[in-house]
Amino acid sequence: MAADLWTALFIAILAAFTGYEVISRVPVLLHTPLMSGSNFIHGIVLVGAIVALGVATTPLEQAVGLAAVIMGAMNVTGGYAVTVRILAMFDRSKRRGGGS
Amino acid sequence: MSAWVGTVIDAVYVVAVLVFILGLKAMSSPETARRGIVYAGGAMLAAVVAILFSPGISNFALIAVGVIVGGGIGWYWARVVQMTAMPQMVAIFNGMGGGAAAAIAGVVLLSSLTNSADTGLSLAGAVIGSTSIAGSVIAFLKLQGWMRQKPVVLPARQPVNLAVLAFGVGFGVYAAATVQPFYLLPFFVLLLLYGILLTLPIGGADMPVIISLFNALTGIAVALDGFALVNGPLGDAGYAMVIAGVLVGAAGSLLTVLMARAMNRSIGNVIFGAFGAAEETGVEVTGSLKPIDVDDAASMMEYANQVIVAPGYGMAVAQAQQRVKELADVLESKGVPVKFAIHPVAGRMPGHMNVLLAEAGIDYDKLLDRDEANPEFAHTDVVLVIGANDVVNPAARRVGSPLQGMPILDVDQAKNVIVIKRGQGKGFAGIENDLFYKDNCRMLYGDAQQVVGKLVQSLKRAA
């Protein structure tokens, strides 16, 4: 196992505790946006998909890589748009002007 | 490619990761949450642009096609969909992330299949990603109503599921050990099948748990892909994926545990229990169902010291939230305070009711969670239950009931309970609701949107 993997493992452990600490403070009220927001955050998978497609050589690799990029891009944009829409509903300042 | 370009790209990833964490932190208050996610969006855009400038990337035309097609569909779909369809949207976009993670692992496995730790990580990413996309698609179909929400229970499903998983993983390990990419095909096919089989027996009311679980799984799959990438030439993108994936894994796991705990069931019981498939037998509920008409219900509320509304999935189905807001407004104009009691698993995803009521424009200060609401019921004149069933069923206090031990909203302790319900059917769990037979409970039958609309009119007429 290469040194980089060990580094990544250290990072993963720290990220898990950071994630737990940060997220356990989220109120029940915002559980849906928390879920769809974290859904958006794992859209970073698009970056990995671009790497996979970017280094793909055979037609099969390119086809699978393209599928990865399409799905990753859907994840990012859809996750973002859904979260922003949901959070807009919790925005008091906006509602006061707009009625209903 | 000069050295400083690489430094800038790495710096972008460091900043992106920081902004992701701060974005999630901003979720701790509705005042800051929106800003947090917008900043996270900017960081995501920067990360995607940065990878395009990284050395060794080619196939730009295909990348552009993929980003435009996938991004366009995701954006358009998320913008036009009704708010009531949010649970299935969350499920499907999460599934897409899992699918992307599985496909990335697929490319890595196809291009560099070896008998090594890296290949093992990619295999693990593929296993979890495939399960997540297949399961999320089934969850989507169930929530969208394109597939029945009741659990689909196949004979001998535990051993069959286990065998599918074991053979699937076996093919993957065999492909790696013997370096024969062909065996990746049955590997992926069986794992997708596993995701489908895993989700089929899970019914509608358990969706909050399963959606959170798949969210966590996708995060973990992304992190595993990141692990597999850190040894490559573009390793720093891998670190960003590890951190983001693990953050999501933690968020999803926490929500999964909270949701399961809210039903007093283990995660294993939710996933493997096929809850709601069987009906309780042998228990006689005594008493009768006592209907009430709209005008009587309206005047009961008009003279109440306060009204607490307990909404459930039925309110979402009937899209009654706007009418409910009108009802709250007219009652408050008559000096009757209105609050809302929200059970953590009411609806089909964590926080579902909060989102619907916020959409209708109800101030979130009026939303009480279960622990805040329960002490209030005893001194409340009227509780209005709209389309909720199992989460208000006092059978949960009875030993031997399938709901036994589930922490419920104690609405039966209010002086009067009015239940708006479509018909005389049972709740999702297939259990008679003891509440409906209690002396202080009245049934108001009909579509929630129409019935609440009539209540509003009746109250306005009385003014």
Side-chain angles (χ1 to χ4, degrees), chain A residues 4-22:
Chain A
D4 291 342
L5 274 184
W6 288 111
T7 312
L9 196 58
F10 282 120
I11 290 174
I13 292 166
L14 292 174
F17 281 98
T18 310
Y20 185 84
E21 284 301 319
V22 168

Side-chain angles (χ1 to χ4, degrees), chain B residues 28-109:
Chain B
S28 41
S29 153
E31 313 288 338
T32 56
R34 192 146 187 269
R35 207 181 328 142
I37 204 72
V38 170
Y39 288 162
M44 187 70 79
L45 188 63
V48 171
V49 171
I51 199 71
L52 294 173
F53 286 95
S54 301
I57 298 283
S58 55
N59 291 329
F60 284 105
L62 278 175
I63 291 173
V65 169
V67 170
I68 290 167
V69 170
I73 295 172
W75 186 261
Y76 177 76
W77 205 4
R79 302 298 295 186
V80 299
V81 77
Q82 288 274 325
M83 278 314 286
T84 39
M86 279 300 149
Q88 53 267 46
M89 284 295 111
V90 170
I92 197 70
F93 291 132
N94 176 55
M96 288 300 126
I104 292 168
V107 175
V108 174
L109 290 169

Side-chain angles (χ1 to χ4, degrees), chain B residues 120-199:
Chain B
L121 289 166
S122 290
L123 284 175
V127 169
I128 298 175
S130 305
T131 308
S132 177
I133 184 177
S136 297
V137 168
I138 298 295
F140 168 82
L141 293 174
K142 287 191 176 207
L143 290 165
Q144 184 74 14
W146 292 347
M147 201 171 154
R148 56 190 220 120
Q149 291 209 2
K150 279 264 169 190
V152 177
V153 185
L154 304 171
R157 70 175 195 287
Q158 310 287 30
V160 169
N161 289 5
L162 199 62
V164 169
L165 178 63
F167 275 103
V169 172
F171 274 116
V173 171
Y174 186 75
T178 61
V179 194
Q180 295 184 78
F182 171 78
Y183 291 101
L184 293 173
L185 182 64
F187 167 72
F188 277 106
V189 170
L190 285 174
L191 285 162
L192 290 171
L193 181 63
Y194 177 69
I196 294 171
L197 292 174
L198 186 73
T199 319

